[in-house]
Amino acid sequence: MLLSTMIGAAVIFLLLLTVSSFLFYWHTQEMGEKRRHEQEVSIFFMQLEKEFQESAAFSISGGRRLLLNHQGRTIAYEPYGTRSYIRRVNSTGHEVVLQYMTSVQFQKEEEGMHVEVLFGNNVYEAYYPHPGSYRVQAAE
């Protein structure tokens, strides 16, 4: 009787240990993926801001494609496949700037641009004023 109780307790203990280990592993994987997305979006936003601030003009096509006139070159940020975004210079080559995202949306604002990146349920947003709007205001 005592032996069967001890075996039953050991089995329950092993089951609880296995389940808690699985839950811990699943949680750390999920958090690691979220951190990776945050880092990827942060790098994307920094690169985009630098080129946007140095550009002479910009245009947005369908909310999904951004064109920058940057130092005599045309830089395009556009979808590649269904879950990646690339950067192209003068319509040649490509550099992957975002992967596994759900969507990217560019929206032209009165004095700049609003960008929204969606990874699953996580939304990352940025607003960039365009230096051309400063030049127009200063000239008035």
Side-chain angles (χ1 to χ4, degrees):
M1 182 75 166
L2 182 61
L3 184 60
S4 64
T5 304
M6 287 178 59
I7 292 174
V11 168
I12 290 172
F13 176 74
L14 287 174
L15 284 173
L16 288 174
L17 184 63
T18 304
V19 169
S20 65
S21 295
F22 173 75
L23 290 175
F24 178 75
Y25 175 77
W26 177 71
H27 179 70
T28 56
Q29 289 296 101
E30 188 176 283
M31 293 306 292
E33 186 173 312
K34 184 177 181 188
R35 275 194 295 275
R36 185 178 52 79
H37 291 162
E38 288 171 355
Q39 289 174 344
E40 188 173 351
V41 169
S42 178
I43 292 167
F44 171 70
F45 281 162
M46 285 189 291
Q47 178 180 357
L48 181 61
E49 179 179 25
K50 182 180 184 301
E51 289 179 336
F52 188 73
Q53 293 297 321
E54 294 174 353
S55 68
F58 74 100
S59 66
I60 297 171
S61 175
R64 295 182 39 105
R65 186 168 192 244
L66 172 67
L67 295 173
L68 301 173
N69 182 342
H70 183 266
Q71 300 174 351
R73 302 175 303 169
T74 300
I75 298 176
Y77 287 88
E78 56 196 8
Y80 183 76
T82 57
R83 297 189 40 108
S84 295
Y85 249 75
I86 61 170
R87 175 184 173 271
R88 298 179 63 175
V89 179
N90 291 334
S91 298
T92 60
H94 69 274
E95 170 189 5
V96 177
V97 292
L98 287 173
Q99 296 183 77
Y100 310 116
M101 80 300 153
T102 307
S103 71
V104 175
Q105 189 71 32
F106 299 103
Q107 183 176 343
K108 193 169 189 173
E109 301 285 338
E110 185 175 327
E111 294 181 355
M113 171 181 68
H114 178 261
V115 183
E116 181 179 286
V117 177
L118 184 65
F119 274 100
N121 294 329
N122 300 314
V123 178
Y124 304 93
E125 297 179 272
Y127 173 78
Y128 304 113
H130 194 267
S133 63
Y134 302 141
R135 287 190 284 272
V136 171
Q137 290 175 359
E140 293 176 357

